Structures are given as C-alpha cells and as structure tokens.
Amino acid sequence: MFENVRRRPDSLHEAFAVYLRDQFGWQSFQAPDKIKEALSHVSEVSLWQSVAGWITHHREQAVSPGEVQDMLRKIVNRRNKIAHEADRDPERTDAKRSITANEASEAVDTIDLVARAIVHVIGPPPAVPDLPAEENLDEKTVGVSGSAKDALYRNFWSRFTSIAKQNGWSKAAPTTYNWFQMPSGIAGVNWVVSFSKFGCRSELYFGDSDGGRNLSRWQALADRRDEITGRFGGSLIVDDLPGKKGCRIETRLLGPTVEDEEHWADVLRWMTDTQSRLRAAVGDLSVLKFLESH
C-alpha cells in the first residue's frame, strides 16, 4: 500500500480506506470485548463505563459497565445457539429452547439502547482535514475519488446484483465498496467479486474469525487444486495468505478499474463467467461441514 501511494499518484485516504476494509471486512464485532477493541481504533473513550453512564442517565436506573456487557453477552450467546446449534434444548434433544415474543422484543430493545449509547459517547467523526497543497492534485491525475467513486461502485454493483439475483447467488443490495460478497451457505465462507489495484478478482474467500478454521477449510479444497483447476478450465490462484487469517481461491482479470465505464459490460461478463465456472469447479461445499464434524 505504501509503495503504491509513494510511486503513483493514488490518494492516501482512498488507499487506506481499502486497506481497512480488507483488514476488518471479514471480522465479527458482536461480543463486548470485540466491540470495544474495534471502537478503540477511532476513539479513546472508556467505552463501557461511558455507555453505562449514558444508559443510567436516560433510564433513571443505575446500571454498571459489567451489567451492560452481560446483557450483550446473553443476546450473543442465544444468537449463537440459534445459528450454530439449531437452538436445541440440551435437556430434550427433540425440542428447542423456549423463547417468547417479549424476550425477542427485549433483545431488540437492548441492542437499540446500547447502540444509541455508543453513538452518543463516541460522538461524530472528526472533520476531514484539507489536503496539503502538494497532495491536492487535479482529478485527472488522481482519478475519481470520494462520493464520485462511491457513485461509480453503486452503479456498477447495481448491474451485478441483477445478475446475482437471476443466478440465485445473492439478494443483497448494491454497495459503495470495491467488493461484492455473496453467501456460500457456510458461515465465514463467501463468494466474492471485486475491484483491486491490479484489476478485478473473482474468488471463494475463507474469512472466518478463526484463522485455523479458515486454513483447514482452504486446505480441504487446496488438496484438490488440480481437479478444481481442470474443471474450472483456466488459471486459479490457491492462496493461504501467510500472515493473515483469511485464505482464498481466486482468478484475476488484470487492468480494468471501476472508472473504466466503457469496459463495464466486459467486466460484468467476466465476473459472471468466472463465478459460474468457479462454483461448478469447487462443487458442493458441504464437505467443509463434514470436515469440522469429524
């Protein structure tokens, strides 16, 4: 990232934003410790103490930092049991745990209350400073940036989302990010198409918060790389991304950027074709679930 900004007239702000999305985009911030860790990157406030103070003031009922965190942990734990254990009752394996409408509403209200408290104690984002004169290059030099680039991404992905819906890949709305993620049916594993510094990428990405799980899932497919590459009918990069938690199996298209609107049709055809062939080449991902159950 540093070399690209130093050698080419890229915007440092834009390059760093892409870097942050790569670092944090696959992570989950649900547990209180993870929420605190994430927000520590943008604020020095004593998070849970400040949140507890705000809630105490607005509810006129004292609540401690520990109680706020316990409320969140209870919700997250129940969510995990629903998502990962089918909410089975450990005492009666043929039944689910009981849950009432009031309990569900209370969970929603608690999340809303804590979120509003966090927004208040963190405060608004700081104003973006003006670029120094030497960085304030004309648009033709640095390319489209800021809201204009966001609009380009939204327009491009609005076209791809129509294709994704037609193929049954995703029902998600267009984004302003440089990537578009689609579910694989397995938590932490996603099909992704994106723009990158070298051009475009089409991939199967292993982005679970557990790096060891990503590696074992990736390895199960990497062991079949010759078979998968043969079925794909083209070059594939099977990369365990040393030093990072994530892993990927990808193919690349060198050159195009989102600013090249005249080439969007070609890029869309490439993304559609490579996603179709990659999914067919990899096949049924249920083997990954079988792998973890044994």
Side-chain angles (χ1 to χ4, degrees):
M1 181 189 71
F2 175 83
E3 288 299 324
N4 284 334
V5 172
R6 185 179 71 85
R7 295 178 177 178
R8 292 161 37 193
D10 287 350
S11 163
L12 176 59
H13 176 82
E14 179 69 19
F16 191 55
V18 171
Y19 169 78
L20 290 179
R21 286 196 293 270
D22 286 343
Q23 292 296 307
F24 298 128
W26 53 270
Q27 297 187 43
S28 174
F29 302 105
Q30 297 178 1
D33 290 344
K34 292 295 185 181
I35 295 173
K36 179 180 178 181
E37 178 184 344
L39 294 177
S40 70
H41 292 286
V42 296
S43 174
E44 296 180 351
V45 69
S46 178
L47 183 65
W48 295 121
Q49 183 175 347
S50 300
V51 166
W54 188 90
I55 293 176
T56 295
H57 175 73
H58 283 76
R59 296 180 72 180
E60 298 182 350
Q61 180 179 354
V63 59
S64 70
E67 289 172 328
V68 174
Q69 295 177 72
D70 286 342
M71 288 190 297
L72 280 181
R73 288 193 186 98
K74 181 179 178 182
I75 294 171
V76 172
N77 287 340
R78 185 60 186 272
R79 176 265 174 198
N80 289 341
K81 292 183 184 304
I82 294 171
H84 303 302
E85 300 175 9
D87 212 24
R88 293 290 183 185
D89 187 335
E91 302 298 326
R92 294 181 54 200
T93 55
D94 61 337
K96 296 182 181 292
R97 294 177 175 85
S98 64
I99 190 169
T100 66
N102 286 338
E103 288 173 329
S105 296
E106 183 180 346
V108 173
D109 292 342
T110 298
I111 293 172
D112 178 72
L113 176 67
V114 174
R116 285 190 290 114
I118 289 175
V119 169
H120 179 83
V121 302
I122 293 296
V128 178
D130 293 333
L131 290 173
E134 62 270 22
E135 291 187 36
N136 194 16
L137 306 175
D138 62 75
E139 184 174 286
K140 290 183 180 178
T141 302
V142 299
V144 182
S145 61
S147 59
K149 196 163 190 178
D150 290 347
L152 284 174
Y153 279 129
R154 188 184 300 279
N155 289 338
F156 179 86
W157 295 126
S158 67
R159 302 186 186 192
F160 183 80
T161 52
S162 297
I163 296 171
K165 289 177 182 178
Q166 290 173 6
N167 285 279
W169 296 342
S170 172
K171 297 179 181 179
T175 74
T176 57
Y177 302 135
N178 67 308
W179 47 269
F180 186 82
Q181 179 172 290
M182 297 164 282
S184 72
I186 298 179
V189 182
N190 292 283
W191 302 100
V192 185
V193 287
S194 62
F195 287 93
S196 191
K197 293 173 183 177
F198 55 76
C200 298
R201 173 184 280 131
S202 181
E203 66 181 318
L204 177 64
Y205 186 72
F206 303 84
D208 193 87
S209 58
D210 184 336
R213 178 177 295 147
N214 291 329
L215 188 59
S216 63
R217 288 171 167 176
W218 172 87
Q219 189 64 60
L221 299 183
D223 290 342
R224 297 169 47 215
R225 73 178 67 203
D226 291 343
E227 170 200 342
I228 292 173
T229 300
R231 293 174 64 180
F232 178 72
S235 175
L236 288 175
I237 301 172
V238 183
D239 192 355
D240 60 347
L241 299 176
K244 296 185 178 182
K245 285 187 178 180
C247 305
R248 58 170 42 116
I249 297 175
E250 65 169 310
T251 186
R252 296 181 175 185
L253 176 65
L254 303 182
T257 70
V258 74
E259 291 97 332
D260 300 329
E261 294 185 65
E262 67 273 18
H263 296 304
W264 278 9
D266 293 333
V267 173
L268 287 167
R269 280 192 291 271
W270 179 84
M271 288 182 173
T272 305
D273 175 61
T274 53
Q275 275 292 299
S276 297
R277 290 192 290 124
L278 184 58
R279 290 162 184 255
V282 171
D284 187 3
L285 290 175
S286 62
V287 63
L288 303 183
K289 293 181 179 180
F290 178 83
L291 174 71
E292 292 170 9
S293 64
H294 290 72

